[in-house]
Amino acid sequence: MKNFTVPDICDENDNLQISELFLTSFGAIEKFYGQICTAKCEHSNSIVKELVQNDGEGKVLCISHTGSDLCSMVGDQIAKTAVENNWNGIITNGYVRDIEVIKNINIGLYALNSYPKKTDKSKGTGEKNVSIQIGNVNIKPGYWIYVDTNGWVVASKELEL
C-alpha cells in the first residue's frame, strides 16, 4: 500500500470531504485506502456478510448503521472473510465485536466503538451500493476513501499519492 497520511492528503487536495466523526481503529492495519462499496443496515448485517464474500481487491466497505438498537455490524467472522477476499478495509458509524480477535486480523477496521450484541437478522437485510451518510460525509459507491489514525477523507476520484 502506498505511503500517505491523511494530513498530507488534506494539505495537497482541495476537493475532499473531511470527516468530523472520529472513529477508532480495531484491525491490525491502521492505514488504508480504496474505492468505496457501501452498505446501509438498520438492525441486520446480512448485507455486510454478503458483500465481504465478493472480491474486494482495492476496495473499502463503508457501512452506515441506521438502526436505533445497539448491535455490532462487524465481528471476527466478517473481518476474516473480508481478508480472505482481499478487502483493504472496513469503516462503520456502528459497532464491532470480537475485538480481541480482530486486532490480530490483517485488515483495516474503524468503528465508533465495540459492543458485544450481534445484529437481529429477522429485521431485514439492508441495502448495498447506495449513497450513505457517515457523520458529515456523503459517501457514494465508487468514491475513494483514505483512512489513518489522524482521521479519514473521501474524494470523488482516486488521488495521486
Side-chain angles (χ1 to χ4, degrees):
M1 199 155 292
K2 296 178 183 176
N3 192 21
F4 71 91
T5 68
V6 171
D8 287 345
I9 288 173
C10 290
D11 291 349
E12 297 168 8
N13 297 277
D14 293 326
N15 296 322
L16 299 172
Q17 294 185 73
I18 302 171
S19 176
E20 296 172 357
L21 179 64
F22 190 77
L23 301 172
T24 300
S25 175
F26 290 95
I29 297 174
E30 292 188 325
K31 180 188 297 192
F32 58 93
Y33 71 98
Q35 192 170 32
I36 295 171
C37 291
T38 63
K40 187 175 186 179
C41 309
E42 188 172 6
H43 298 294
S44 171
N45 66 353
S46 298
I47 200 79
V48 174
K49 285 183 178 182
E50 179 185 322
L51 285 166
V52 296
Q53 291 176 13
N54 297 320
D55 180 20
E57 183 75 33
K59 296 180 182 169
V60 173
L61 179 58
C62 296
I63 306 164
S64 175
H65 178 228
T66 61
S68 57
D69 294 349
L70 290 180
C71 57
S72 174
M73 288 289 114
V74 178
D76 62 336
Q77 293 176 6
I78 288 175
K80 286 176 187 174
T81 301
V83 168
E84 290 167 3
N85 291 305
N86 303 309
W87 288 84
N88 288 0
I90 301 171
I91 74 158
T92 179
N93 64 347
Y95 300 91
V96 298
R97 67 187 209 157
D98 306 313
I99 62 172
E100 69 285 348
V101 176
I102 289 174
K103 71 181 180 181
N104 296 312
I105 296 175
N106 200 30
I107 193 164
L109 176 56
Y110 280 74
L112 279 181
N113 212 329
S114 63
Y115 192 75
K117 183 180 174 187
K118 67 181 179 179
T119 62
D120 184 347
K121 307 299 185 269
S122 68
K123 291 188 176 181
T125 60
E127 300 175 80
K128 60 182 175 180
N129 298 319
V130 296
S131 293
I132 60 173
Q133 189 85 20
I134 296 182
N136 63 308
V137 179
N138 181 26
I139 300 172
K140 295 182 180 182
Y143 277 23
W144 288 76
I145 188 166
Y146 300 83
V147 185
D148 71 11
T149 54
N150 294 288
W152 55 280
V153 297
V154 170
S156 61
K157 60 182 180 177
E158 184 175 11
L159 302 175
E160 290 188 33
L161 300 178

